[in-house]
Amino acid sequence: MIFRFLVIFALLAALNPAPLRADEQDEEISEAEMLGEVEVTAKRVNESLDDPPVFVEQIDMKQYEGRFVTTEEVISQAAGVSVRNFGGLGKLSTVSIRGSSADQVVVLVDGVRINPATGGGVDLSSIPPDQIERIEIIRGGDSAFFGEGAVGGVVNIVTKRAGKPLSTAGVGYGSYNTFKAGAAHSKAIEKLSYIVSANYLHSDGDFIFKNNNGTEFNDGDDYDDVRENNETDNRGALVKAAYTFSQRAEISGQNEFFSSDKGLPGMATFPSRYVHQKDIRNSSSVSLALSDLPVFGLSFKTRLSHRYSFNSYHDPRGEQTGAPLKTRQNEYAPEAEETIQYIWGDHQIWTLTGLYRNTRLLDAEFDNPERTTWAAALRDQIYLFKNILTLVPAARYDEVSDMGGMWSPKFGLSIKPFSWLIFKGNAGKSFRAPNFNELYFNHGFVQGNPDLEPEKSVNYDAGLQLVWDWLFFEGAWFRSEVEDLIEYLLISGFRYKPFNIGEARLEGFEGSMRFNPVEYFSLAGSYTQTYALDTTEYANRRDRQIPGRPRYKGFGRAEGHWKYFTPFVEFNYVGGNFITQANTKLLPERKIWNVGLVTSPDEHFKAGMEVKNLADERAVDVRGFPLPGRTFFMTLDASF
C-alpha cells in the first residue's frame, strides 16, 4: 500500500504545471545543489552522499585506462574484500566482504540488482570492465538501505555516463590467445544525451599448471599439465539515453546486455573436456526524476526496471554429473522503486523509499518458483554543529512472500572535528532470504528445504579517515554476529538437505592508504585481517576459521609519473586459506607480483604492456581449480 501511494503521488506531481528544475546526477554535484539550501557536500574520497558514516570504497576506472584488467581483479584490490576465482579469465569469480559468503553480498549495476535467484553469488566476470565508470563497494551489513542479502555489504557498478561528446576504441592481446576489443560513442544533442558501447573478450585459457595427480602430499608424481576446455567468449553492450524536459525534470533509460559461452574444465584431477555453459543477462530500466514539486526542497525519482537471465548447462558425457545432463533456466525479475527526498529546515534530509520486486524462475527441476518482495524504507540525514556531526538513522521493512516480514534498522554517525579528520561508526541488523537452490532444488544427492528461515546478522563497525591532498588513510574495526546460517547436512545415504544450524562471528580490521608525496610518484594499498570464526556448537569446528575466508589479505601499488610514461608495480598477498571446517587442510599463501608500463603520447592515446604473476607462482583460490601462471598483455586505447 505504501508503494502504491508513492507511485500515485509521483504521477500527480509529474502533472503539476509548476516550472521544473533539473535533477542533476553528476557525482561532483553536492546534495545542496541538487535538493535545496542545506550545505552538505561529500569529498568523494571514500564517502557516500546518501550515507556519510558508511565505509565505502570508490574505485575510478579511469586509472586503469591502457591496462588489461578484469572487474574481479579491480574489486579484489579493495580493503575488506576477498574474491574467489574458479580458474582464470572469464571463469566464475565471486566476492566476499568482511568474511561473508558470496550470497551475502548484493551486486547492483546502476542500481539494478543482478544476484541470481538460484544463489551462489554474482559472477563478477560477467560484468565487462570497459562499460564501467566507477565501482562503489559498501562494506558492512546494510539491509536498511539495500534490503535482503546485504549481510556482508554491497557492490554497486556504475556504468559510463551519457552526455560528454566522446568516441573511444580499444584493443588488447595477450597470453593463451586472449583478445579483447571495445568501442563507445557518447554525445549530447540539445536536451538529449546518449551513449552506446560494445565489447568482446576471447581467451583459449589453455595455461600450464602443476597437476598433483591427486596426491597432494607426494610431490614425486607431480607433472606439468595443460588446462583444457577452459575457453571463454564474452560479449557485452550498453545503451543509455537521457532527456531533460526542463530545469526540474529528466527522464532516462538504459539497457545492459551480456552473454558468454565457456567451457567448464572441472577439477584438475577430474577434468571435464566436454562440459559447456551459456549465460545471457539483459537488464533495462527507465527513470523519471523531478525536483521542487510543488514545495521547494522536495524531489521524486521513479525507476522501473527488469532483469532477464538465461543459463544453459550441457554435460553430454556425465563428466561432472555422473550421467548425461542438459539444463535450461530462465529468470525474470521486474522491479519498481519510488524515492521521495525532502530537505527539512537547514540541517536535515529525509528520504522515503518504496519498492516492489517479483522474481520468477522457469525450471522444472525447481517446480518454477516465484517470490515477491514489498519494501518501505525511511532514513534521515541530520547535520549539526556546522556539519561537524552527522547522524543517519534508518529503518526498512521487507515483506518477502515466502519468508514473511523482516525489519532492518541501522544507525550511523560521523564526526569531523577538523577538515582532515573524520570518525565513523555504524550499527544495524541485516538478513538474507534463502535462495531457490536451498529451498526448492531436488535432484540427485540434494533435497531442498522449504521450511528454511532467513540468515540474520547484527553488525558493528567504527574507524577513522585522515584526508590531505597528498595522503588518504582509512582504518576500521568491524564485527558481525551471524545466526541461522544455512548448511547442508547428510540426512540419509548420500542425500543432503539444508538447515538453519550455523552461527559465525566475523571480526577484524581493514585499512587502506593513498600516498602522493610528489608529482612523479604515488603509492596505494590495502590490508585486511578477518577472523571469520565458526561458532556453531560442534567440537571439531568451534572457533575455527570458516573455509574459503582467508584471514590475511594485502595489496599494494607503486606508480611513477614522468612525461608520457607511467610504470607500475603491484603486489597481491593472500594468506593461507583453510578448506576444511576443522582447519586440518590449508591452501598455501600466495604472493603475486604484476609489473607494467602505460604510455600516453597525448591525451587521445594510451598504450600499455604488463606482466601478471611475474614470478609464475602456481596459485589456487579454490581447491582443484588452478589459476594461470605468468601472463603477458598489450593494450591500446584511443579517444576522439
Side-chain angles (χ1 to χ4, degrees):
M1 291 298 296
I2 294 176
F3 174 77
R4 296 168 188 169
F5 169 76
L6 297 180
V7 172
I8 294 172
F9 191 17
L11 293 175
L12 291 174
L15 298 175
N16 192 303
L20 305 177
R21 191 188 73 178
D23 181 18
E24 297 289 341
Q25 300 299 311
D26 192 328
E27 77 257 25
E28 301 299 328
I29 296 179
S30 70
E31 285 194 280
E33 293 171 309
M34 288 193 294
L35 301 174
E37 297 178 346
V38 176
E39 294 185 1
V40 180
T41 59
K43 279 185 171 295
R44 308 306 298 172
V45 179
N46 286 11
E47 191 168 1
S48 168
L49 283 173
D50 294 323
D51 190 6
V54 77
F55 288 92
V56 58
E57 181 88 7
Q58 302 274 358
I59 302 174
D60 186 354
M61 292 298 289
K62 191 174 181 64
Q63 65 183 305
Y64 296 101
E65 290 180 349
R67 291 195 53 188
F68 201 116
V69 297
T70 62
T71 302
E72 57 269 29
E73 178 184 359
V74 172
I75 289 176
S76 70
Q77 298 170 3
V81 174
S82 177
V83 170
R84 302 183 77 193
N85 188 298
F86 285 71
L89 194 65
K91 293 301 175 282
L92 175 66
S93 297
T94 59
V95 61
S96 166
I97 300 179
R98 292 183 171 178
S100 71
S101 68
D103 275 319
Q104 294 170 341
V105 177
V106 170
V107 180
L108 312 170
V109 176
D110 290 327
V112 178
R113 181 186 291 237
I114 63 171
N115 293 68
T118 51
V122 171
D123 182 2
L124 298 178
S125 72
S126 70
I127 307 173
D130 294 338
Q131 295 181 357
I132 303 174
E133 179 172 295
R134 72 179 188 275
I135 302 173
E136 300 174 345
I137 303 173
I138 297 170
R139 308 192 300 272
D142 214 347
S143 289
F145 277 63
F146 298 97
E148 180 270 322
V151 174
V154 177
V155 176
N156 183 32
I157 307 293
V158 181
T159 59
K160 293 180 177 179
R161 288 177 296 161
K164 184 178 179 181
L166 186 67
S167 296
T168 62
V171 294
Y173 186 79
S175 300
Y176 322 121
N177 192 31
T178 299
F179 171 77
K180 74 166 186 174
H185 176 66
S186 177
K187 192 173 183 180
I189 305 174
E190 295 182 350
K191 296 183 178 182
L192 175 67
S193 60
Y194 68 89
I195 184 171
V196 180
S197 173
N199 54 79
Y200 173 75
L201 170 70
H202 168 83
S203 180
D204 290 346
D206 53 349
F207 57 85
I208 297 174
F209 69 97
K210 184 70 69 175
N211 193 325
N212 65 18
N213 207 27
T215 58
E216 58 185 307
F217 300 110
N218 179 14
D219 296 336
D221 60 353
D222 292 358
Y223 64 98
D224 284 339
D225 201 354
V226 176
R227 197 68 161 143
E228 298 182 19
N229 191 34
N230 201 38
E231 74 280 359
T232 294
D233 283 283
N234 290 350
R235 296 158 290 270
L238 174 69
V239 178
K240 299 174 74 171
Y243 186 85
T244 303
F245 293 100
S246 68
Q247 291 186 335
R248 295 184 182 175
E250 182 183 76
I251 189 170
S252 60
Q254 69 181 71
N255 190 83
E256 182 259 340
F257 172 84
F258 173 82
S259 72
S260 74
D261 294 277
K262 56 190 175 185
L264 300 182
M267 296 185 66
T269 52
F270 300 97
S272 51
R273 296 180 173 88
Y274 300 95
V275 182
H276 282 78
Q277 181 172 309
K278 182 179 181 65
D279 294 280
I280 295 175
R281 183 184 69 244
N282 191 82
S283 300
S284 57
S285 65
V286 177
S287 299
L288 174 65
L290 309 169
S291 62
D292 296 347
L293 297 173
V295 179
F296 183 76
L298 184 66
S299 68
F300 294 81
K301 184 173 182 179
T302 303
R303 178 174 61 84
L304 305 176
S305 64
H306 183 269
R307 176 179 58 84
Y308 166 75
S309 61
F310 167 81
N311 170 272
S312 69
Y313 170 88
H314 191 199
D315 183 358
R317 302 189 180 187
E319 293 174 298
Q320 294 184 358
T321 57
L325 179 66
K326 188 173 184 179
T327 65
R328 296 168 62 92
Q329 290 183 342
N330 292 274
E331 185 177 329
Y332 302 87
E335 183 176 296
E337 185 177 43
E338 176 68 28
T339 300
I340 301 175
Q341 203 161 43
Y342 177 63
I343 293 182
W344 185 11
D346 295 333
H347 303 289
Q348 284 186 271
I349 302 176
W350 286 91
T351 304
L352 176 64
T353 302
L355 177 137
Y356 163 83
R357 181 189 304 117
N358 176 261
T359 303
R360 291 184 295 128
L361 179 67
L362 300 184
D363 188 331
E365 296 287 351
F366 292 79
D367 197 22
N368 301 326
E370 183 175 355
R371 170 179 288 169
T372 299
T373 300
W374 292 87
L378 179 65
R379 72 174 181 267
D380 186 16
Q381 298 180 58
I382 306 168
Y383 300 88
L384 302 173
F385 310 115
K386 297 183 178 180
N387 299 337
I388 292 176
L389 176 63
T390 302
L391 307 177
V392 182
R396 174 172 170 140
Y397 181 77
D398 287 79
E399 183 71 31
V400 183
S401 58
D402 53 346
M403 291 290 115
M406 293 290 296
W407 281 99
S408 302
K410 181 183 177 182
F411 179 78
L413 66 86
S414 68
I415 304 172
K416 189 177 180 181
F418 306 101
S419 60
W420 50 269
L421 177 62
I422 304 172
F423 297 98
K424 294 183 176 184
N426 300 272
K429 292 184 176 182
S430 296
F431 76 102
R432 178 186 79 87
N435 59 55
F436 286 172
N437 264 338
E438 295 162 335
L439 290 168
Y440 308 119
F441 184 66
N442 294 291
H443 184 85
F445 302 118
V446 178
Q447 176 182 332
N449 183 358
D451 295 325
L452 289 173
E453 297 290 331
E455 297 178 339
K456 307 176 187 69
S457 71
V458 180
N459 316 289
Y460 312 92
D461 60 29
L464 60 82
Q465 289 182 340
L466 301 175
V467 184
W468 289 283
D469 292 338
W470 53 275
L471 173 66
F472 170 83
F473 171 80
E474 179 179 80
W477 164 85
F478 61 87
R479 177 170 177 148
S480 295
E481 299 284 348
V482 192
E483 60 182 19
D484 292 330
L485 288 170
I486 297 171
E487 298 187 12
Y488 283 83
L489 296 180
L490 184 66
I491 56 173
S492 63
F494 296 101
R495 198 162 178 81
Y496 288 82
K497 184 176 181 178
F499 294 92
N500 294 102
I501 64 165
E503 295 182 356
R505 182 173 71 252
L506 313 176
E507 185 173 17
F509 169 82
E510 59 197 18
S512 60
M513 176 272 294
R514 301 171 195 171
F515 182 50
N516 304 279
V518 293
E519 180 182 356
Y520 307 105
F521 179 74
S522 63
L523 285 172
S526 65
Y527 174 77
T528 307
Q529 180 174 317
T530 305
Y531 289 88
L533 301 181
D534 189 334
T535 56
T536 311
E537 292 295 338
Y538 291 102
N540 66 337
R541 52 189 280 193
R542 178 78 179 182
D543 292 331
R544 265 74 162 190
Q545 189 83 358
I546 299 175
R549 322 288 168 87
R551 180 162 291 179
Y552 305 105
K553 174 185 165 291
F555 169 78
R557 180 195 297 119
E559 284 186 350
H561 309 277
W562 181 72
K563 292 186 177 180
Y564 314 120
F565 304 99
T566 304
F568 64 88
V569 177
E570 293 179 341
F571 176 70
N572 292 272
Y573 172 78
V574 178
N577 192 359
F578 289 107
I579 58 176
T580 59
Q581 289 182 322
N583 290 181
T584 56
K585 292 186 179 181
L586 183 74
L587 293 177
E589 67 177 14
R590 71 168 184 260
K591 302 172 183 177
I592 305 294
W593 290 91
N594 303 328
V595 298
L597 173 67
V598 177
T599 62
S600 182
D602 60 42
E603 61 181 349
H604 299 293
F605 294 94
K606 287 190 177 182
M609 299 175 293
E610 57 190 298
V611 183
K612 298 182 187 293
N613 195 356
L614 179 65
D616 197 27
E617 182 161 341
R618 306 300 173 90
V620 294
D621 279 340
V622 182
R623 186 185 187 188
F625 292 85
L627 298 176
R630 185 186 301 114
T631 53
F632 302 85
F633 296 102
M634 297 182 295
T635 306
L636 175 63
D637 291 331
S639 60
F640 311 94

